[in-house]
Amino acid sequence: EVQLVESGGGLVQAGGSLRLSCAASGFTFDDYAIGWFRQAPGKEREEVSCISPSHGSTYYADSVKGRFTISSDNAKNTVYLQMNSLKPEDTAVYYCAVGLGQLLLHRDDYDYWGQGTQVTVSS
């Protein structure tokens, strides 16, 4: 059974940093992409980053490029999202998701989702 468990969310002041973790079980990273999405109240869920752990390729949304870094520890089946220079507009529930493929840029491409972790950035 595929499971994704996010952790690392919390409350931080603008300009601060957080590191989110996505611990995966029930599959190996070969041939899969892991994505980070976020959803703010009243807004659609948007993809902020994606990684293909077996290929090392990554994707970032323009809104987070240069501030967020996605990485993976394949031995631990864990993907991280390092978030620096956080802004109030980064406030959202952050989800990780997994799908078959290299880099997946659409929500519908993902098959499994975690439960989410809240990130709140105060001004």
Side-chain angles (χ1 to χ4, degrees):
E1 178 186 5
V2 173
Q3 285 192 328
L4 302 170
V5 180
E6 302 98 333
S7 62
L11 173 64
V12 64
Q13 287 189 332
S17 299
L18 284 173
R19 189 179 80 155
L20 305 184
S21 299
C22 173
S25 61
F27 71 102
T28 59
F29 281 171
D30 295 345
D31 300 322
Y32 286 90
I34 313 297
W36 281 101
F37 288 74
R38 66 185 181 188
Q39 187 166 20
K43 294 188 176 181
E44 290 191 359
R45 192 172 296 189
E46 62 170 344
E47 185 169 16
V48 296
S49 188
C50 176
I51 188 168
S52 171
S54 59
H55 296 88
S57 48
T58 59
Y59 158 81
Y60 296 96
D62 288 343
S63 58
V64 306
K65 203 172 291 184
R67 299 188 298 123
F68 290 11
T69 303
I70 193 169
S71 63
S72 67
D73 184 333
N74 295 1
K76 295 183 178 180
N77 250 36
T78 300
V79 171
Y80 304 97
L81 186 68
Q82 178 67 43
M83 306 186 297
N84 298 329
S85 303
L86 282 163
K87 305 175 181 179
E89 51 263 43
D90 294 318
T91 295
V93 178
Y94 283 70
Y95 301 87
C96 65
V98 62
L100 189 65
Q102 282 202 36
L103 288 180
L104 305 177
L105 305 184
H106 303 285
R107 177 180 173 178
D108 291 343
D109 292 332
Y110 290 87
D111 300 309
Y112 299 95
W113 294 80
Q115 82 289 350
T117 184
Q118 176 70 47
V119 171
T120 303
V121 184
S122 63
S123 57

